[in-house]
Amino acid sequence: MPRFSVIVPCFKVQGFLRECLDSVLLQSFNDLELIAVDDCSPDGCGAILDEYAARDPRVKVLHLPENAGLGRARNAGLPHATGDYLFFLDSDDTLTPGALRAVADRLAEADDPDVLVFDYARTYWWGGTRRNVLAHVLAEAGADTFTVTDRPEILDLLMVVWNKVYRRDFVEENGFEFPPGYYEDTPWTFPVMLSARRIAALDRICLNYRQRRQGNILSTTSRKHFDIHDQYERVFAFVDRHDELAGWRPYLHRKMGEHCLDILAKPDRLPPADKAEFFGRTAEMFRRHRPEDALVDGEVAQLEGGYPAYRLKRQAARAGREAGRRAVQARRAAAVRARRGWAGMHARLPLDPQLVVYSASSHRGVLGDPAAVHRAAREIAPQLRGVWVVRDEAAAAQLPPGVEHVLVNSRRYLEVTARAKFFVNDVNWPGSLAKRPGSVHIHTHQGTPLKYMGADLLDKPGARLGFDVPQMLRRADRWDYSLVANRHSELVWERAYPCHFTSVRTGSPRNDVLVGAPDGAGAGFRLRYGIPEDHTVVLYAPTRRDYRRGGHVDRIDLARFAADLGEGHTLVVRLHPTLATGPARGMGLAELARRGVVVDATDEPHAEEVMLASDVLVTDYSALMFDYANLDRPIVVHADDWAAYTASRGAYLDITAEAPGHVSHSYRELAWLFTSGSWRDEESARLRADFRGRYCEFDDGLAAERVVRTLLLGESMPAPEPGSVRIPGQTVGGDLLAPK
C-alpha cells in the first residue's frame, strides 16, 4: 500500500501536463501511485498519460467515455486509490521539489491526522511568484493537531481541495465525494474540514498554483457560475444532517454571501445581462438561510437591498477610490514642495563638522560596515554626533539603546542631511539627497565583489532588470571615498563606478571582529539556538540567482544535507537578505527550522555573529566567503550551476578556479566532502591561505579605527606595535592613507 494516491484529472491541458506529472514522479519521496483521469480530453492528454503509464508502473490511467467535469473525474479516480492519503492535484499545477517528503514527515510527526493543510504559491504566466498571503495561519498552528473549533482561522485559507491531503479511511468512512458543476471544491472542503477531528498544518510551499493567462475555467464568462448557489445548498444540507455542526451556520451564511458577491464583482465571470439575476438569487438564498443570531454588516449587508442599490454603491465606491487616489497624489506633491522648502532653508546654514549621518542596507538599521564605524567613532571621537537614517518606525524600534535616529524623508531627516559634514553608507543614498559642497561621503560597499556591479551590468540585461544604471552612477558621483579590503575590490569599484572618488585601503570595518577572533566568540548565538558546544556548526549561505525571477533557487535539499551530516553536526542556514521576505523560506526552511532539523539564521541582524558561531562555511557565490576567510576556517564552494550563474549575472573571477577551499559540482560531491572529512584537509587549508592572501589583504582588525581617525578626524593612523596586528596577506601595497 503506497503512502500517497495522487489523483490528477486531465482536460485540455496538454501544454502543462508533462510538467505536472514530472513534478510528482520525480519527487525524492516515491512511495506513491499516480491515478490520472483522462476526462475525455479532445487534445493529446490521453496519449501523454498512456506514454507515462507505459514507462512508470506507478502511473494508472483511466479514460472516461465522456466528459464528466472536474469533480466527477476526481470521483472516478477515488475507487482506484490504495494509498494511505489522497492528494488531488490539478493537471496544470505542479508540486515543488521535496514536497511529498515534507508532507510525509509532517504526517508522521502528527501521527496520521485526518487532514493536513499545506501552503502554496501562485505562479504567474509572466514569471512572477507570490506566496499565499495567509501563510502565517499555518505557521501559527504549530506542531499539535487541532479541529476547526480550536483554530477557526484555518477556514480563512483558500477553500480548495488541492492544498490539503486527506486520510483515505477518513474520506471513505464519511462518504465524501465531489458534486458536478463549477466550484465543486466548496461542498467538499467545508464538510471535510468541519468533520475532521485531527487537522495538522505544514508551513511549507508544496504546490505551485498556476495562474493561467487564459483557459482557466473559473475565468470563463458563463452562466455556469450560477453553480455556486447549488454548491452552498449542499453545504447547508450537510450541516442540517449533523446537529453538532449547527453552530457553524452563521459563519457559513456569511461566507456564502461574501463568496457570491466576490464572483459578482469580478468582470470576467458573469455575462453582464445575467448579473441582476445572480444578485437576486444570492439575496434570496442569503435571506432563506439566515440564522437568527447572524450578524449582517459590512459587505454582505448589500444583499438586504436591491440590485440597483448594489450597483450605485459600487459606482460610489469606485468614484471614492479615484478621488482618494487623486487626493493622495496632491498630498504627496504638497509634501515634496514642503520638504524642498524645508531642506532649502537648512541648506543655507553652515555644515556641522561634528555631525555624521549613517545608513546601512537601505536604512534597515545599525548594520555592517557603517555600524562598525559608528561604534569606533563613539569610542575614539565621542565629540562626533552620529545620527542613523532608518526606513520606518519598525526599524527604529530595533535600534540599540541610545542610538539617535531619523526616519527617511522626515523633516528631521532633511535637517540632518542638509547640515551633516559626513555621510557613511553601504548602499547609495536616495537621489533626492543633494550633496553640499564640503560634505564628505564615505561609501563602504557590502563586501568584496564577485558578481558584476554598477556599469558592468549594462551588458547583462537580465541582471539589471529594474536597475537604472545611469541613475546609479549619478548617485555614486557623490562618493568622496570608497573603502576597499583588497586590490581586487579597488580595481572593480573603479571600473564598475567610473566616478570621481578616492579608493582607500582601509579594510572592511565589519570584519574587524573576525580578524583574530578568540575562541568562543560565537557562544551567544549557539546558546540562543540551543546548539551543543561540541557540535560542528555548518553554515550554509546561498546567494540569489538572476536567471530566476524572484532570485530563489533551491540548490540543496536541506533535510537531506542535515541528515547526511549526521550526529554531532548542526546545519545553520542564512538566506540572502533579498530573499528573507519572499517565498524562499516557505519552500521548506521555515518548517525544517520549526522541527529542529536546521537553524534558520536569516533574520539574525549581524552576519558576523553567525559566522563566528560556525566551524565551516558552505556557499555558492555569496560575497560572505570573502569575509569568512578572515576567520581562517574551512570554506566549501558548491558550484553546481556556475555556468548559468555567470551567463546571467557575470563574475569578475572564476571562483571555481580560485576557490577558498574545495569545490563541489553536485550534491553527491558535496556530501562526500563532509563524509570523508576532506572539507578540512591540508589542501583546503592551502587553498584558504592563498585566498586570504588575495582577498583579505587590508583586513587587519583596525579598519573601523582607520576610517574614524583618517577620514572623520583627519588624523594620521598610529603605527601598530610590532607583532600586535595580524597581517593577512604578504602582498600588501602602499596605503593611500599612509603619509607620503
Side-chain angles (χ1 to χ4, degrees):
M1 179 185 296
R3 188 61 165 160
F4 296 109
S5 293
V6 183
I7 298 176
V8 183
C10 308
F11 182 74
K12 295 178 68 173
V13 288
Q14 63 179 8
F16 307 112
L17 184 54
R18 291 182 186 276
E19 185 180 0
C20 172
L21 299 176
D22 288 343
S23 77
V24 177
L25 299 173
L26 298 180
Q27 288 281 312
S28 58
F29 185 91
N30 56 25
D31 185 14
L32 62 94
E33 62 181 4
L34 193 156
I35 302 168
V37 183
D38 172 18
D39 191 15
C40 200
S41 184
D43 59 5
C45 284
I48 293 172
L49 295 178
D50 289 340
E51 172 193 329
Y52 273 76
R55 67 171 186 249
D56 194 321
R58 295 174 297 169
V59 179
K60 180 186 297 184
V61 179
L62 305 177
H63 295 281
L64 301 186
E66 58 183 22
N67 180 248
L70 185 57
R72 287 180 169 174
R74 289 171 179 156
N75 289 341
L78 278 173
H80 300 272
T82 63
D84 297 329
Y85 279 86
L86 302 172
F87 195 138
F88 297 98
L89 177 65
D90 286 354
S91 49
D92 54 351
D93 296 337
T94 56
L95 299 186
T96 59
L100 289 185
R101 167 58 65 188
V103 171
D105 289 346
R106 183 70 182 99
L107 290 172
E109 180 189 40
D111 193 21
D112 284 6
D114 297 329
V115 180
L116 172 67
V117 187
F118 53 78
D119 203 11
Y120 67 93
R122 295 176 186 266
T123 57
Y124 295 87
W125 59 269
W126 42 266
T129 299
R130 182 168 63 88
R131 190 178 185 182
N132 166 28
V133 295
L134 294 178
H136 63 89
V137 172
L138 298 172
E140 293 162 1
D144 295 335
T145 58
F146 53 90
T147 66
V148 291
T149 302
D150 301 326
R151 289 189 171 275
E153 63 272 16
I154 200 72
L155 295 179
D156 293 334
L157 298 174
L158 197 60
M159 283 290 101
V160 292
V161 67
W162 43 254
N163 63 349
K164 309 168 185 73
V165 294
Y166 314 86
R167 188 166 56 82
R168 183 168 60 87
D169 290 345
F170 164 70
V171 170
E172 292 177 351
E173 289 165 4
N174 287 273
F176 295 126
E177 63 178 7
F178 294 91
Y182 280 17
Y183 305 100
E184 73 291 333
D185 285 4
T186 298
W188 166 282
T189 307
F190 281 116
V192 165
M193 295 296 286
L194 294 175
S195 302
R197 306 319 305 159
R198 298 179 65 249
I199 302 171
L202 173 60
D203 179 24
R204 187 195 194 279
I205 297 172
C206 296
L207 182 139
N208 287 320
Y209 176 29
R210 189 187 300 273
Q211 306 295 287
R212 292 162 66 175
R213 187 169 183 267
Q214 58 184 9
N216 187 322
I217 292 176
L218 290 185
S219 295
T220 303
T221 303
S222 164
R223 283 185 60 88
K224 288 288 289 180
H225 294 282
F226 280 77
D227 288 352
I228 189 65
H229 302 116
D230 291 338
Q231 307 297 22
Y232 272 101
E233 291 287 6
R234 292 183 172 99
V235 174
F236 289 124
F238 180 85
V239 172
D240 288 342
R241 293 194 301 270
H242 296 80
D243 293 339
E244 72 277 11
L245 300 180
W248 286 100
R249 289 190 65 87
Y251 173 86
L252 295 170
H253 173 257
R254 187 180 191 91
K255 195 74 172 179
M256 180 273 293
E258 292 173 345
H259 196 168
C260 291
L261 286 174
D262 181 64
I263 294 170
L264 183 61
K266 293 187 182 303
D268 59 351
R269 298 292 173 92
L270 294 160
D274 295 327
K275 289 191 173 185
E277 179 187 353
F278 185 90
F279 179 90
R281 288 185 58 178
T282 301
E284 185 278 329
M285 187 176 176
F286 191 75
R287 289 191 296 271
R288 180 161 43 86
H289 287 287
R290 178 178 176 175
E292 291 182 2
D293 57 345
L295 178 64
V296 179
D297 61 357
E299 182 185 15
V300 295
Q302 300 175 84
L303 292 169
E304 296 200 327
Y307 183 65
Y310 165 80
R311 288 193 62 191
L312 285 174
K313 190 166 185 178
R314 283 190 56 80
Q315 290 168 359
R318 282 196 295 268
R321 287 193 297 270
E322 178 61 22
R325 185 184 65 82
R326 292 178 179 176
V328 168
Q329 290 177 334
R331 286 196 298 271
R332 286 175 177 170
V336 168
R337 290 192 297 270
R339 284 198 298 268
R340 286 174 178 169
W342 184 265
M345 179 182 70
H346 285 277
R348 290 191 290 271
L349 299 174
L351 295 176
D352 183 345
Q354 306 298 320
L355 180 55
V356 187
V357 177
Y358 297 91
S359 180
S361 299
S362 299
H363 317 310
R364 288 198 301 117
V366 181
L367 304 168
D369 288 318
V373 174
H374 179 237
R375 286 193 298 270
R378 296 179 78 168
E379 181 178 336
I380 298 169
Q383 71 274 20
L384 295 178
R385 176 192 173 199
V387 179
W388 280 84
V389 177
V390 293
R391 59 187 178 185
D392 51 33
E393 292 290 358
Q398 301 300 316
L399 296 177
V403 172
E404 185 178 356
H405 72 277
V406 296
L407 299 183
V408 67
N409 290 330
S410 67
R411 282 195 171 187
R412 290 192 63 230
Y413 165 83
L414 297 173
E415 178 184 345
V416 298
T417 55
R419 298 292 310 282
K421 169 73 173 180
F422 300 102
F423 293 78
V424 182
N425 199 348
D426 61 4
V427 178
N428 263 321
W429 293 99
S432 58
L433 191 153
K435 185 177 191 297
R436 292 185 63 185
S439 64
V440 177
H441 282 237
I442 301 168
H443 195 75
T444 70
H445 304 282
Q446 288 188 317
T448 294
L450 171 61
K451 61 188 178 185
Y452 277 10
M453 306 290 285
D456 291 329
L457 291 174
L458 289 170
D459 292 330
K460 297 291 182 181
R464 65 180 173 86
L465 181 67
F467 288 97
D468 184 337
V469 174
Q471 181 187 67
M472 187 188 305
L473 296 182
R474 286 193 294 272
R475 293 179 179 182
D477 281 332
R478 296 175 294 195
W479 301 352
D480 292 290
Y481 297 107
S482 167
L483 308 189
V484 297
N486 48 66
R487 274 179 276 199
H488 162 78
S489 296
E490 185 176 303
L491 293 173
V492 167
W493 297 137
E494 291 179 6
R495 164 183 159 166
Y497 297 97
C499 306
H500 297 288
F501 59 80
T502 299
S503 296
V504 284
R505 298 176 175 180
T506 58
S508 295
R510 69 181 182 280
N511 288 344
D512 287 348
V513 298
L514 305 181
V515 177
D519 293 338
F525 176 89
R526 289 188 176 223
L527 183 64
R528 282 201 308 278
Y529 287 94
I531 301 173
E533 292 183 7
D534 60 344
H535 268 215
T536 297
V537 175
V538 180
L539 171 59
Y540 175 51
T543 193
R544 63 179 291 119
R545 265 55 172 188
D546 293 287
Y547 61 75
R548 177 70 60 85
R549 185 181 291 271
H552 175 68
V553 179
D554 273 323
R555 306 307 310 177
I556 292 177
D557 183 332
L558 297 177
R560 180 181 178 186
F561 188 34
D564 288 345
L565 287 174
E567 293 293 330
H569 293 76
T570 294
L571 178 60
V572 176
V573 181
R574 184 177 176 85
L575 298 178
H576 191 276
T578 60
L579 302 176
T581 57
R585 291 160 100 168
M587 297 300 290
L589 177 56
E591 173 65 10
L592 292 174
R594 183 194 66 78
R595 290 168 44 206
V597 177
V598 303
V599 170
D600 180 5
T602 303
D603 288 335
E604 285 291 321
H606 304 293
E608 300 81 18
E609 188 177 9
V610 183
M611 288 188 278
L612 285 167
S614 66
D615 298 294
V616 54
L617 170 67
V618 177
T619 186
D620 33 41
Y621 324 116
S622 171
L624 199 71
M625 73 177 84
F626 296 96
D627 302 331
Y628 196 86
N630 281 286
L631 289 170
D632 196 19
R633 299 176 188 174
I635 301 173
V636 174
V637 175
H638 186 56
D640 67 333
D641 65 340
W642 178 242
Y645 183 84
T646 54
S648 61
R649 179 65 190 233
Y652 293 113
L653 63 136
D654 184 351
I655 198 63
T656 65
E658 301 180 54
H662 289 298
V663 178
S664 58
H665 299 279
S666 66
Y667 177 77
R668 183 177 180 180
E669 291 180 7
L670 175 64
W672 178 85
L673 286 172
F674 281 89
T675 56
S676 67
S678 300
W679 61 276
R680 55 183 173 185
D681 62 12
E682 291 183 4
E683 177 64 7
S684 72
R686 183 190 67 78
L687 293 168
R688 186 167 68 252
D690 290 345
F691 190 84
R692 289 172 59 237
R694 290 192 300 273
Y695 300 111
C696 303
E697 193 175 358
F698 308 132
D699 280 335
D700 59 3
L702 300 173
E705 180 183 356
R706 189 172 289 115
V707 172
V708 173
R709 292 194 183 280
T710 60
L711 300 184
L712 299 184
L713 298 179
E715 302 173 353
S716 57
M717 188 74 177
E721 294 292 330
S724 64
V725 178
R726 177 180 72 79
I727 304 299
Q730 302 301 315
T731 58
V732 178
D735 192 327
L736 292 179
L737 298 174
K740 297 293 184 183

